[in-house]
Amino acid sequence: MGRNRSMQQYMKEHLSFYLFVGVIFVTGVVFGAVMVNALSMDQKQEITRYLGNFFSSVEQGALGGDVQGSFRDSFSMHIKWILIIWVLGVSVVGLPLILILDFLKGVLIGFTIGYLAGTMSWKGLLFALVAVVPQNLIAIPVLLVCSVTAMAFTVHLVKNRFLQKRGTLYEPFMRFSATVLASAVLLAGVAMLEAQVSPVMMKWVTPMLVLGSAS
């Protein structure tokens, strides 16, 4: 009962943050998808050539051979992202930069899925579903929760240290840091998914893309 009440209180206090961050992220996704149409023909050919080499490497089994290295690279990328959010959250001027990070994350995902679907039709969409979507079903909510927690801490910091000049920062800071730590654990699972499962799924669908591009 107490847990339900605390969850209701949490959502009441942070719902506006989640809505705002969600809108920023979705705007980034749409912007990234629209950016595909702004590419020049040379840029599209260069990206297509890179993807062709990548698909050939996947088909030959070059991807996923070094599971430890893949896990390390993936986890390093994810952990840097949330550590930047943590640093921005404990600084007074970091709030706009957190929103920019969420927007850029949306742009990256929107551009990747938009380009694959736009140039390879349903085959590109299928590849995006196995290579991009699964890990981001976990990584994106984790990123948004970290962003909202960072924003809430920044607002609390400004309100209780610079405006009202009362209250303690210990509990909000520990809650914020605990959220980042829990996020790191979840992102370790995401990195393991990318290192072990994603290469297998990509190798499964890649022959269809290679045959499609050859024809």
Side-chain angles (χ1 to χ4, degrees):
M1 191 71 179
R3 184 176 300 176
N4 292 336
R5 190 180 298 113
S6 61
M7 179 59 67
Q8 291 175 356
Q9 182 67 23
Y10 174 84
M11 291 307 301
K12 181 180 179 181
E13 294 176 354
H14 297 83
L15 182 59
S16 58
F17 287 135
Y18 277 108
L19 290 174
F20 188 56
V21 170
V23 169
I24 293 293
F25 174 76
V26 172
T27 302
V29 172
V30 173
F31 185 80
V34 171
M35 276 180 60
V36 175
N37 298 324
L39 293 175
S40 66
M41 187 59 64
D42 290 339
Q43 289 172 323
K44 289 183 178 180
Q45 289 176 348
E46 183 66 27
I47 296 175
T48 302
R49 188 160 46 245
Y50 169 80
L51 286 175
N53 295 332
F54 176 75
F55 294 147
S56 298
S57 299
V58 173
E59 191 179 28
Q60 294 166 9
L63 191 68
D66 183 10
V67 174
Q68 280 190 335
S70 298
F71 170 79
R72 185 170 55 250
D73 293 341
S74 177
F75 183 65
S76 175
M77 179 190 68
H78 290 306
I79 202 70
K80 286 176 183 176
W81 203 281
I82 63 169
L83 283 177
I84 291 173
I85 291 177
W86 184 83
V87 171
L88 294 175
V90 297
S91 65
V92 179
V93 296
L95 195 148
L97 298 177
I98 293 172
L99 297 177
I100 291 175
L101 282 178
D102 293 333
F103 178 79
L104 290 177
K105 189 68 172 179
V107 169
L108 289 173
I109 293 175
F111 181 84
T112 302
I113 296 177
Y115 186 85
L116 288 169
T119 57
M120 301 179 186
S121 186
W122 68 269
K123 294 179 180 179
L125 184 59
L126 176 62
F127 186 80
L129 287 175
V130 301
V132 180
V133 173
Q135 58 267 32
N136 281 299
L137 286 177
I138 304 173
I140 294 306
V142 168
L143 174 66
L144 297 184
V145 169
C146 282
S147 299
V148 167
T149 310
M151 292 170 62
F153 179 77
T154 301
V155 171
H156 183 87
L157 179 66
V158 172
K159 184 186 299 182
N160 294 310
R161 276 290 177 251
F162 297 98
L163 298 180
Q164 300 174 355
K165 294 186 177 181
R166 61 180 177 80
T168 176
L169 291 176
Y170 177 77
E171 184 177 344
F173 176 77
M174 293 305 295
R175 186 163 54 242
F176 176 32
S177 299
T179 300
V180 172
L181 184 62
S183 299
V185 174
L186 289 173
L187 291 176
V190 172
M192 187 60 67
L193 174 69
E194 290 179 295
Q196 290 191 328
V197 179
S198 293
V200 176
M201 297 177 68
M202 283 190 282
K203 191 174 181 179
W204 175 61
V205 301
T206 295
M208 288 185 285
L209 277 72
V210 175
L211 289 174
S213 61
S215 60

